[in-house]
Amino acid sequence: SYTISNVQATHAIQGTFAITVTPSTSTTGAASSISATGATLNGTVKDNGATTTVTFDYGLNTGYGSSASGGTVTAGSGSTAVSAAIAGLACNTTYHFRVDGVNSAGTTNGGDQSFTTSACSYTINSGVVGGNGNISCTSPVNYGGTSTCTITPSTGYHLASFSDNTVDKLASVVSGSYTISNVQATHAIQGTFA
């Protein structure tokens, strides 16, 4: 309120108004589309009257260390769902993340959330040198899992050599079967028939 007392002349009253801008409101959501090496980080950002730049912080702990763009929320959009797809993560690993909103009034960080990437998966490659039989192994195999290789010689042939990552394993083949337990890496199985 403004009061003019003892008015004795014409007065011209003028004023301007501005939108009151407050820092955005940032809420971290759950991660989605989680794979062995990637995920989509989700959140909600309310602009609170000013265009807001969105980023997601992520890392192995709440110190984060990496960030990804979540785009921009235009002034007046209100509460808006935001996301960022990230890749290059380690398998079977827990990551922490949060959404951040930055506008002309300041920065707000959403709360911490976490997710664990899918189990590591390894390929078991098998091959036969010279033909005369077949070797097939279950593949891919998750970290710590088991792969069974089935060895089938052609009629009139037998398994003459068998290796796992170039290490001789012929003596480990039992009744046409070879088992790799506690898989923690890719394997290259190779055999010959005579």
Side-chain angles (χ1 to χ4, degrees), residues 38-122:
T40 298
L41 309 180
N42 299 295
T44 304
V45 173
K46 184 176 180 186
D47 61 270
N48 289 341
T51 296
T52 302
T53 302
V54 178
T55 57
F56 286 87
D57 298 324
Y58 67 96
L60 298 176
N61 54 49
T62 55
Y64 305 108
S66 297
S67 65
S69 173
T72 302
V73 176
T74 305
S77 298
S79 189
T80 303
V82 293
S83 65
I86 57 173
L89 306 179
C91 57
N92 201 35
T93 302
T94 298
Y95 286 88
H96 291 262
F97 73 100
R98 70 180 178 197
V99 65
D100 305 321
V102 179
N103 67 17
S104 58
T107 301
T108 57
N109 301 320
D112 180 69
Q113 291 274 9
S114 65
F115 66 93
T116 300
T117 51
S118 303
C120 304
S121 180
Y122 300 101

Side-chain angles (χ1 to χ4, degrees), residues 144-169:
T146 300
S147 175
T148 301
C149 298
T150 302
I151 297 96
T152 309
S154 296
T155 303
Y157 289 88
H158 67 277
L159 186 63
S161 70
F162 187 86
S163 65
D164 182 350
N165 290 337
T166 70
V167 175
D168 180 16
K169 295 290 185 175

Side-chain angles (χ1 to χ4, degrees), residues 131-188:
N132 302 316
N134 184 49
I135 300 173
S136 63
C137 304
T138 52
S139 180
V141 179
N142 286 340
Y143 180 88
T146 300
S147 175
T148 301
C149 298
T150 302
I151 297 96
T152 309
S154 296
T155 303
Y157 289 88
H158 67 277
L159 186 63
S161 70
F162 187 86
S163 65
D164 182 350
N165 290 337
T166 70
V167 175
D168 180 16
K169 295 290 185 175
L170 184 59
S172 299
V173 176
V174 177
S175 299
S177 183
Y178 173 72
T179 301
I180 307 167
S181 299
N182 194 24
V183 173
Q184 297 182 17
T186 297
H187 286 253

Side-chain angles (χ1 to χ4, degrees), residues 14-38:
Q14 185 175 359
T16 59
F17 295 91
I19 295 173
T20 301
V21 176
T22 58
S24 64
T25 305
S26 302
T27 305
T28 307
S32 61
S33 301
I34 300 167
S35 70
T37 59

